[in-house]
Amino acid sequence: GENVEQHPSTLSVQEGDSAVIKCTYSDSASNYFPWYKQELGKRPQLIIDIRSNVGEKKDQRIAVTLNKTAKHFSLHITETQPEDSAVYFCAASTRNNFNKFYFGSGTKLNVKP
Amino acid sequence: KAGVTQTPRYLIKTRGQQVTLSCSPISGHRSVSWYQQTPGQGLQFLFEYFSETQRNKGNFPGRFSGRQFSNSRSEMNVSTLELGDSALYLCASSPGQEALYYEQYFGPGTRLTVT
């Protein structure tokens, strides 16, 4: 089955700096890659996603890039703010697997004011 | 629209008991997936139901089972509880239709503690 690896496990940045979280996947059939943000004690929230027919997607301060050849995708957060502090999870799924998502192990982002 | 709801939010059970967790998806969503979240193993897929049928399952023992009702509400059952079953159990709702096939929205979770 699919294996998703996520790095780094923890990331500390100064407010206003950029943060980058990287994920790799193993199954070339994976074609959907969402990112979730989970604040302490809360549910994971979908913040951005990308499908395999697109190389990059942006939504205000966050962006995701996908390199299908290398089988990796990344989350970029610019102008970080303290409220961006949370655990971020990447995931991958294939169309034929009916919403079976494989998650990365998570990155704890700490934005220092 | 109301979000995904899960009941109960917290549960304490003893080893050997069984437990049933409930999930109500977003109105109109027909797919419900279940995940186990633990500090050591992260988010792991249990199973997914669509229109009352299990379409996919993860690598969990048969003690973990589920079902979905005609109104799309889903239940998850864990029998013969073990200490290692202590976790946050999350359900996720998705339209399950072709055009919006993938987007999943999570419920708040049920925190299960097995003593």
Side-chain angles (χ1 to χ4, degrees):
Chain A
E2 172 68 282
N3 181 43
V4 178
E5 294 191 356
Q6 183 172 347
H7 300 281
S9 56
T10 59
L11 179 59
S12 191
V13 300
Q14 206 65 41
E15 182 177 359
D17 287 350
S18 295
V20 180
I21 302 170
K22 299 182 179 181
C23 289
T24 60
Y25 62 98
S26 60
D27 189 346
S28 56
S30 288
N31 60 356
Y32 176 65
F33 308 92
W35 286 88
Y36 288 86
K37 173 184 180 183
Q38 188 175 28
E39 295 174 81
L40 192 62
K42 296 194 175 180
R43 72 188 76 189
Q45 288 197 301
L46 178 66
I47 56 171
I48 197 167
D49 57 13
I50 192 167
R51 304 192 182 187
S52 59
N53 58 348
V54 175
E56 183 175 2
K57 184 176 178 181
K58 273 187 174 181
D59 183 3
Q60 299 182 344
R61 295 187 297 108
I62 60 173
V64 57
T65 58
L66 171 65
N67 183 325
K68 285 178 60 181
T69 304
K71 296 202 196 75
H72 68 70
F73 56 112
S74 301
L75 177 72
H76 304 253
I77 306 174
T78 59
E79 299 172 22
T80 53
Q81 301 165 3
E83 50 265 40
D84 294 329
S85 295
V87 178
Y88 291 80
F89 292 95
C90 64
S93 76
T94 66
R95 189 181 189 90
N96 292 334
N97 258 336
F98 302 118
N99 288 328
K100 182 175 184 178
F101 284 63
Y102 295 87
F103 281 84
S105 53
T107 296
K108 186 174 182 180
L109 174 64
N110 178 34
V111 180
K112 294 178 285 187
Chain B
K1 282 184 180 178
V4 182
T5 58
Q6 290 186 246
T7 56
R9 295 292 312 278
Y10 303 91
L11 264 180
I12 300 176
K13 290 286 188 179
T14 304
R15 267 183 307 175
Q17 289 186 315
Q18 75 163 21
V19 66
T20 298
L21 314 180
S22 180
C23 172
S24 292
I26 293 169
S27 177
H29 284 193
R30 294 162 62 190
S31 167
V32 174
S33 300
W34 287 90
Y35 294 85
Q36 181 193 66
Q37 186 175 30
T38 59
Q41 298 296 319
L43 273 156
Q44 291 190 291
F45 175 82
L46 281 153
F47 29 65
E48 186 248 359
Y49 287 87
F50 177 80
S51 291
E52 302 179 66
T53 300
Q54 187 183 87
R55 289 199 297 192
N56 218 329
K57 69 190 298 284
N59 298 321
F60 278 81
R63 300 185 297 108
F64 292 81
S65 63
R67 60 177 173 169
Q68 187 179 35
F69 301 94
S70 58
N71 62 356
S72 294
R73 189 178 69 85
S74 178
E75 287 183 348
M76 186 193 120
N77 184 277
V78 188
S79 62
T80 319
L81 284 166
E82 301 177 359
L83 294 177
D85 297 334
S86 294
L88 180 67
Y89 289 89
L90 292 157
C91 78
S93 158
S94 171
Q97 296 160 352
E98 203 65 24
L100 291 172
Y101 200 76
Y102 303 104
E103 295 173 8
Q104 288 196 345
Y105 300 92
F106 282 89
T110 294
R111 173 74 62 186
L112 172 64
T113 302
V114 182
T115 61

